[in-house]
């Protein structure tokens, strides 16, 4: 045996201990950035739930969000920088840039969603990108709520219906890129709210009229309004009321029309909101307005000032009445925030990502409190119902349906716009009686009864009543009552691809079935011949496993094409 050797392992020298860091980790806040943020956000409470309002202040002033300013904002709000950055990068209307980046003085957004695409929106986009050079940043945008004025553009905060390259250049060159001037709202003495406060109406009587009216939520889901009110009213306080004015569904623009009506618009909606708050016991009202509606925001701000003057005068007549606090919040370009729980996340200053349910927002809404969430138009109807009686509204309608519906009509019609029509009207009647018929040279080929999510129906189903629950057997729904009319010059498969690209762009990315499913669908829809089996499997997975209605409803247009327009996707379309 050889001699045994012992291996000596030297001890590792212990590293010298470091002293405390001279600066915190992460991007350092420069004094100039801190001063700029404090100046721009002066008068705005440094609350987490107001993060998006702070971001708007910075973006409006700078034309973008500079990373140094985001770091300073995080310090100002006592948030981590990642919390601020993840919110800033989530919303489409916020552009995050380096501190020294050159930012164009003007941003031109050209709508390329369905109605505008049919009217030449993509050609307009290409022309402007070629012509504007460095004088403006020109980018494609999803629906901006001007479907009745297609093709549409937004030049900074100025919406431009029936846009042309020349008209856009005039606005850019003149610098007239602020919100359009709208007629000011007319005063109202809030007669139905007065009846409620005086005791002429009781909360139970209001609920009874609401139930008799058969009013349903008009944002898309169609849930009975009275049932929502009763559910929230039964919960322990404090309670809140959220008014959803974030319509972003392709083809939808009715809420803008309701809100900006100077005679019976914003103030009537606000009266309905105050009545609802009184009945359910809500002590705070949140108004969430889509960011594209800059002109409507000015109009609504004016209406809130008028409202405050009226409520101040209530002091002598109703000394015990404490009006709820009302806060107006501004969206930032995220269609997903039309979903009520995503909207509430955004109200709380977070990314607009839908919550898992249960619990529903009626039980666990804003800041965890019971919340009544309503579309603007639903609340607009409340004073009308109390004035004319619930039975009056229920008696409207055709073919056994109850109520009146505002249809946003666009596409191949002579009079696109918002048309108030009886529930149960058919597409053919809606076009002929209200929308001025089809233009010369166009014949009805197909139509969308409920915007991007509601599916596509062929002309031979143009006599089906349009209302909640009447289209289910055809795989469609009425949703927000956004009607887009197609003629023989259009193809349903092109419409489905346009809509799926919209869903891909607007998916919040939280769940894989929607995030990956919309992207895969866009790829599949570009094939000359569609793979019907694979699309069917993809559709089923998205419906079964997506968290919210965006992913669950996104396959509807595709399924409609496979069901009603198979000749367009199996190689037989000879047009």
């Amino acid at each position: 045996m050889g001699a045994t050797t012992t291996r000596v392992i030297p001890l590792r020298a212990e590293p010298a201990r470091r002293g405390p860091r001279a600066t915190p980790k992460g991007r350092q806040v420069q004094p100039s950035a801190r001063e700029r943020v404090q100046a721009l956000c002066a008068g705005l409470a440094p609350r987490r739930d107001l993060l998006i309002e702070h971001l708007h202040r910075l973006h409006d002033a700078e034309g973008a969000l500079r990373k140094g300013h985001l770091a300073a904002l995080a310090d100002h709000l006592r948030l981590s920088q990642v919390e601020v950055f993840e919110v800033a990068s989530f919303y489409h209307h916020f552009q995050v840039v380096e501190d020294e980046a050159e930012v164009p003085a003007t941003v031109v957004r050209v709508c390329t969603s369905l109605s505008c695409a049919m009217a030449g929106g993509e050609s307009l986009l290409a022309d402007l990108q070629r012509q504007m050079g460095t004088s403006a940043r020109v980018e494609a945008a999803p629906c901006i709520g001007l479907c009745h004025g297609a093709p549409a553009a937004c030049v900074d905060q100025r919406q431009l219906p029936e846009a042309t390259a020349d008209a856009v250049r005039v606005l850019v060159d003149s610098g007239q890129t602020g919100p359009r001037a709208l007629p000011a709202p007319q005063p109202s003495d809030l007669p139905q709210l007065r009846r409620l406060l005086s005791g002429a109406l009781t909360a139970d009587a209001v609920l009874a009229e609401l139930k008799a009216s058969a009013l349903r939520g008009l944002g898309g889901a169609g849930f009975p309004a009275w049932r929502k009110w009763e559910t929230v009213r039964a919960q322990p306080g404090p309670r809140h009321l959220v008014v959803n004015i974030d319509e972003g569904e392709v083809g939808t623009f009715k809420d803008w029309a309701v809100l900006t009506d100077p005679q019976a618009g914003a103030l009537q909606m606000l009266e309905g909101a105050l009545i609802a708050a009184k009945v359910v016991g809500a002590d705070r009202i949140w108004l969430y307005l889509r960011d594209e509606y800059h002109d409507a925001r000015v109009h609504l701000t004016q209406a809130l000032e008028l409202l405050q003057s009226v409520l101040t005068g209530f002091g002598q007549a109703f000394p015990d009445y404490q009006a709820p606090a009302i806060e107006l919040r501004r969206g930032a370009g995220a269609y997903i925030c039309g979903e009520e729980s995503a909207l509430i996340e955004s109200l709380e200053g977070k990314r607009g990502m839908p919550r898992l349910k249960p619990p529903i927002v009626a039980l666990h809404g804003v800041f965890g409190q019971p919340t009544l969430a309503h579309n603007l138009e639903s609340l607009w109807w409340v004073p009308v119902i109390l004035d004319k009686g619930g039975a009056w509204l229920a008696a409207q309608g055709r073919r056994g349906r109850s109520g009146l519906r505002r249809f946003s009509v666009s596409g191949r019609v002579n009079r696109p716009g918002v048309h108030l029509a009886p529930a149960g009207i058919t597409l053919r009647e809606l076009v002929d009686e209200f929308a001025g018929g089809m233009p010369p040279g166009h014949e009805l080929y197909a139509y969308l009864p409920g915007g991007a999510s509601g599916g596509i129906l062929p002309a031979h189903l143009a006599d089906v009543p349009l209302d909640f629950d009447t289209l289910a057997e055809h795989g469609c729904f009425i949703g927000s009552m956004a009607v887009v009319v197609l003629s023989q010059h259009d193809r349903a498969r092109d419409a489905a691809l346009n809509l799926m690209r919209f869903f891909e762009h607007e998916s919040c990315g939280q769940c894989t079935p929607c995030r990956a499913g919309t992207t895969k669908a866009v790829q599949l829809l570009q094939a000359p011949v569609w793979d019907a089996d694979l699309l069917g499997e993809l559709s089923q997975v998205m419906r079964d496993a997506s968290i919210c209605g965006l992913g669950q409803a996104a396959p509807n247009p595709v399924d409609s094409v496979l069901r009603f327009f198979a000749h367009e996707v199996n190689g037989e379309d000879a047009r």
Side-chain angles (χ1 to χ4, degrees):
M1 295 179 62
T4 302
T5 60
T6 303
R7 185 182 178 191
V8 178
I9 302 176
L11 294 174
R12 181 179 297 172
E14 187 172 333
R17 295 185 179 275
R18 295 180 179 175
R21 290 177 60 93
T23 59
K25 290 183 179 180
R27 179 184 287 268
Q28 304 307 300
V29 178
Q30 300 301 316
S32 59
R34 179 179 285 109
E35 292 173 3
R36 179 65 168 159
V37 167
Q38 290 176 346
L40 292 175
C41 298
L44 195 56
R47 299 180 349 221
R48 164 60 194 261
D49 64 292
L50 289 172
L51 170 57
I52 295 171
E53 295 297 314
H54 283 80
L55 292 172
H56 276 304
R57 291 275 188 97
L58 301 183
H59 204 282
D60 287 349
E62 296 284 329
L65 297 173
R66 301 189 183 277
K67 291 182 178 179
H69 290 165
L70 293 180
L73 180 60
D75 184 68
H76 178 68
L77 296 179
R78 298 185 180 276
L79 298 172
S80 69
Q81 292 186 23
V82 70
E83 287 179 283
V84 173
F85 186 85
E86 71 175 6
V87 172
S89 59
F90 178 85
Y91 294 92
H92 303 316
H93 289 180
F94 293 143
Q95 183 190 24
V96 180
V97 301
E98 299 295 336
D99 290 348
E100 305 304 323
E102 292 288 334
V103 178
T106 303
V107 176
V108 178
R109 295 186 174 95
V110 180
C111 179
T112 55
S113 289
L114 185 56
S115 297
C116 286
M118 293 165 61
E122 292 176 351
S123 296
L124 174 62
L125 172 67
D127 290 344
L128 286 170
Q129 288 176 330
R130 185 174 58 254
Q131 297 175 24
M132 296 304 295
T134 59
S135 61
R137 186 175 81 246
V138 180
E139 59 189 27
C143 186
I144 60 175
L146 281 176
C147 318
H148 54 313
C154 193
V155 184
D156 282 344
Q157 296 190 2
R158 172 68 62 93
Q159 284 194 306
L160 182 62
E162 300 177 1
T164 64
D166 288 343
V168 170
R169 282 198 304 272
V170 167
L171 289 179
V172 172
D173 293 342
S174 66
Q176 297 177 1
T177 61
R180 293 178 296 178
L182 299 176
Q186 298 302 303
S188 166
D189 63 355
L190 314 180
Q192 302 309 316
L193 178 61
R194 288 179 180 272
R195 290 179 63 205
L196 179 60
L197 298 180
S198 70
L201 272 177
T202 64
D204 288 339
V206 171
L207 281 168
E209 292 293 351
L210 200 63
K211 190 172 184 178
S213 73
L215 179 68
R216 299 172 68 163
L218 298 171
F223 194 78
W226 66 270
R227 188 165 293 168
K228 272 189 175 184
W229 291 33
E230 285 196 343
T231 301
V232 174
R233 189 187 188 200
Q235 308 311 309
R239 309 174 194 90
H240 299 308
L241 169 61
V242 167
V243 185
N244 186 343
I245 324 175
D246 194 52
E247 62 178 353
E249 184 81 11
V250 172
T252 306
F253 45 91
K254 66 182 178 65
D255 287 354
W256 182 92
V258 172
L259 182 65
T260 59
D261 179 353
Q263 300 299 325
L267 272 172
Q268 183 165 311
M269 176 274 294
L270 291 170
E271 182 181 15
L274 289 172
I275 291 169
K278 179 66 175 176
V279 171
V280 306
D283 58 8
R284 186 173 290 273
I285 298 174
W286 314 80
L287 309 173
Y288 190 95
L289 177 67
R290 72 178 300 191
D291 193 36
E292 289 85 352
Y293 290 167
H294 299 287
D295 48 9
R297 188 171 67 252
V298 174
H299 185 89
L300 182 52
T301 301
Q302 294 170 340
L304 286 168
E305 293 171 353
L306 286 174
L307 177 70
Q308 187 55 51
S309 65
V310 175
L311 293 178
T312 300
F314 275 21
Q316 292 183 340
F318 312 110
D320 296 332
Y321 177 58
Q322 182 65 45
I326 302 177
E327 289 196 37
L328 172 59
R329 295 295 182 84
R330 179 177 167 187
Y335 164 70
I336 191 64
C337 288
E339 196 276 339
E340 60 184 11
S341 67
L343 184 154
I344 287 171
E345 288 287 296
S346 188
L347 279 176
E348 295 179 359
K350 305 170 188 174
R351 293 175 293 171
M353 301 181 109
R355 297 174 177 176
L356 290 171
K357 302 180 184 67
I360 59 175
V361 301
L363 307 180
H364 188 90
V366 182
F367 302 120
Q369 303 302 324
T371 300
L372 177 63
H374 258 315
N375 167 262
L376 166 148
E377 190 192 0
S378 304
L379 292 167
W380 181 93
W381 278 107
V382 171
V384 178
I385 290 169
L386 297 181
D387 178 36
K388 297 188 175 184
W392 171 85
L393 183 60
Q396 311 302 310
R398 298 179 183 178
R399 300 175 180 86
R401 309 304 298 181
S402 293
L404 296 169
R405 306 281 184 258
R406 282 185 173 85
F407 292 91
S408 305
V409 184
S410 63
R412 311 298 187 185
V413 295
N414 283 317
R415 287 202 302 269
V418 177
H419 300 290
L420 183 65
I425 195 172
T426 68
L427 183 281
R428 201 179 309 278
E429 292 169 341
L430 181 64
V431 169
D432 291 343
E433 297 177 26
F434 291 86
M438 305 279 291
H442 290 268
E443 297 176 1
L444 180 63
Y445 176 64
Y447 67 100
L448 281 67
S453 305
I456 307 174
L457 291 173
H460 74 261
L461 292 177
D463 296 313
V464 175
L466 297 177
D467 201 16
F468 300 111
D469 314 318
T470 62
L471 305 174
E473 66 179 290
H474 306 295
C476 296
F477 58 80
I478 196 70
S480 59
M481 285 150 277
V483 175
V484 183
V485 178
L486 281 62
S487 78
Q488 80 275 20
H489 300 297
D490 308 302
R491 294 199 304 174
R493 64 171 293 161
D494 294 339
L497 175 58
N498 181 285
L499 299 173
M500 191 58 72
R501 282 176 170 152
F502 170 80
F503 289 128
E504 179 188 27
H505 182 265
E506 295 298 327
S507 173
C508 74
Q510 180 177 193
C511 65
T512 302
C514 179
R515 181 185 66 250
T518 52
T519 298
K520 183 63 175 178
V522 167
Q523 296 169 358
L524 294 172
L525 297 186
Q526 295 180 73
V529 177
W530 286 6
D531 187 333
D533 291 339
L534 185 54
L535 282 168
E537 292 177 12
L538 181 61
S539 171
Q540 195 61 52
V541 169
M542 292 176 68
R543 293 181 187 282
D544 291 344
S546 295
I547 289 174
C548 80
L550 191 156
Q552 294 163 9
N556 281 344
V558 178
D559 292 347
S560 294
V561 172
L562 292 171
R563 181 176 180 180
F564 298 114
F565 306 93
H567 59 280
E568 292 191 16
V569 298
N570 62 13
E572 298 177 6
D573 191 5
R575 290 186 302 157

